[in-house]
Amino acid sequence: METRWLEDFLVLAETASFTRSAQARHLTQPAFSRRIRALEGWIGTELIDRTSYPTRLTPAGEVFREHAAAMLNQIHATRALLQGMRPLPEDTLELAVPHTLSFSFFPKWLTRVEQGFGQLSCRLQASNVHDALLAFVEGGSDLLMCYHHPKQPVELEDGRYLGLRLGVERLRPYARADRQRQPRFVLPGTAASPVPFLGYASSAYFRLMTEQILTDAPEPCHLHLRYETDMAEGLKNMVLEGHGVAFLPQSAVAREVRYGQLAPAADERWGVDMEIRLYRSKKRSRPVLEAFWQYLSGEYPAI
């Protein structure tokens, strides 16, 4: 058996869709289906009820779902032990967090939270939004911090998870500022003089949000794509060097805007608000997690 089969199965159990699961695992649907069949062949029984729609687990699949998450956790813990890492102390919380939030939002948020809750030991798994969600669903973290927008929602089964709304992040275009603190490039540009554009790779959550902004823009935009990456921090550095315009979260550029290094490259209509959310599984419980969640529930509204 391969560990990726377990990961495939847990994603399918969460999404109840072969199509969406295959997309999440970056596979074609036939290839994804073959891996699920291989897992069932190894176990010796069917885990998926293929007579129903949407897809659901068989009774054996429901039992295996809990064991699969535990097996993955044990494998990861054993690997960490063999690599010389100490296991996490009982009072340490593990969070899956997208890169941008780990750089900009999380440190200041933790400072505020600790003022009321007390000092907290944490381990962050920083990754892209998709991998952070996958790590959380597979049982690899206590908490998931992520972005959410109604048109690009994070799809978690309501019955299995609890969520809190931590705040709002705005994504809008920025450019390097001149000595008068004015942007060197301004949207929307023209057909004769398109704006040099610094974009997100196709796997990035902000790519979807950027496309949403441009779709809803007050007028057509003329852009010349010069650069792509999947991290907002990388785009910010390119903008600081004057290479073009990029859509960046406000928390990531607050310091640079304050010191006149960056400036908005368009008015407020060229932006979108995203919620910052925190999730936990109802089935995952430890004393420190329960205490921390109880405190946060008194500070933030439930989803």
Side-chain angles (χ1 to χ4, degrees):
M1 186 192 69
E2 302 183 32
T3 57
R4 62 181 180 174
W5 295 351
L6 297 179
E7 296 168 351
D8 293 339
F9 171 75
L10 289 171
V11 172
L12 180 57
E14 180 63 33
T15 65
S17 167
F18 275 87
T19 300
R20 283 191 292 157
S21 298
Q23 292 172 346
R25 298 293 287 161
H26 303 292
L27 294 167
T28 63
Q29 185 170 332
F32 181 84
S33 297
R34 284 195 296 271
R35 284 179 20 175
I36 295 297
R37 284 290 191 189
L39 176 62
E40 291 176 317
W42 183 83
I43 293 175
T45 189
E46 290 190 348
L47 303 174
I48 309 300
D49 182 355
R50 294 173 174 81
T51 66
S52 64
Y53 185 84
T55 301
R56 65 185 181 190
L57 303 182
T58 63
E62 292 288 354
V63 173
F64 185 67
R65 181 180 195 168
E66 300 302 322
H67 288 281
M71 290 165 67
L72 274 176
N73 287 337
Q74 185 61 46
I75 290 169
H76 293 155
T78 302
R79 182 177 61 185
L81 180 64
L82 294 176
Q83 291 174 344
M85 295 172 58
R86 294 182 179 180
L88 283 172
E90 183 62 27
D91 62 349
T92 299
L93 286 176
E94 189 147 4
L95 295 93
V97 183
H99 286 296
T100 301
L101 287 173
S102 71
F103 286 132
S104 57
F105 180 82
F106 181 83
K108 293 179 180 179
W109 175 79
L110 182 62
T111 298
R112 292 195 302 271
V113 168
E114 287 187 332
Q115 290 173 355
F117 180 77
Q119 191 172 29
L120 187 69
S121 297
C122 301
R123 173 175 288 175
L124 255 65
Q125 301 177 29
S127 60
N128 60 42
V129 174
H130 166 265
D131 289 346
L133 178 61
L134 194 60
F136 174 67
V137 169
E138 292 174 352
S141 65
D142 296 302
L143 300 166
L144 168 69
M145 183 180 288
C146 63
Y147 293 110
H148 173 88
H149 187 274
K151 293 185 177 179
Q152 295 295 338
V154 171
E155 296 182 357
L156 291 172
E157 186 180 324
D158 293 340
R160 296 186 57 217
Y161 301 99
L162 298 172
L164 299 173
R165 190 176 292 106
L166 304 184
V168 176
E169 176 82 277
R170 186 160 183 81
L171 190 73
R172 62 182 303 194
Y174 291 89
R176 182 174 175 176
D178 59 22
R179 292 183 179 180
Q180 287 73 44
R181 296 194 170 211
Q182 296 302 306
R184 296 190 176 186
F185 304 104
V186 179
L187 297 181
T190 65
S193 181
V195 176
F197 183 59
L198 313 174
Y200 293 95
S202 59
S203 60
Y205 182 79
F206 284 165
R207 168 71 169 264
L208 301 175
M209 298 313 305
T210 297
E211 291 175 349
Q212 190 64 54
I213 294 172
L214 294 175
T215 298
D216 298 337
E219 55 186 301
C221 200
H222 302 276
L223 303 173
H224 168 56
L225 182 62
R226 293 196 56 203
Y227 179 77
E228 283 188 346
T229 185
D230 60 355
M231 292 182 63
E233 199 69 17
L235 286 186
K236 182 178 78 171
N237 290 331
M238 290 291 288
V239 174
L240 284 168
E241 291 297 324
H243 292 294
V245 170
F247 286 83
L248 300 167
Q250 283 185 314
S251 65
V253 299
R255 183 192 301 268
E256 290 78 10
V257 171
R258 186 166 62 249
Y259 289 114
Q261 297 172 292
L262 296 179
D267 62 39
E268 284 288 349
R269 295 175 299 169
W270 296 78
V272 68
D273 288 332
M274 304 169 293
E275 289 184 357
I276 300 175
R277 293 184 171 188
L278 191 72
Y279 289 97
R280 65 162 292 187
S281 170
K282 292 180 180 179
K283 294 185 178 181
R284 191 180 180 104
S285 178
R286 294 190 291 138
V288 65
L289 176 59
E290 297 300 333
F292 188 55
W293 193 262
Q294 182 178 3
Y295 169 78
L296 292 179
S297 297
E299 299 292 317
Y300 298 99
I303 297 168

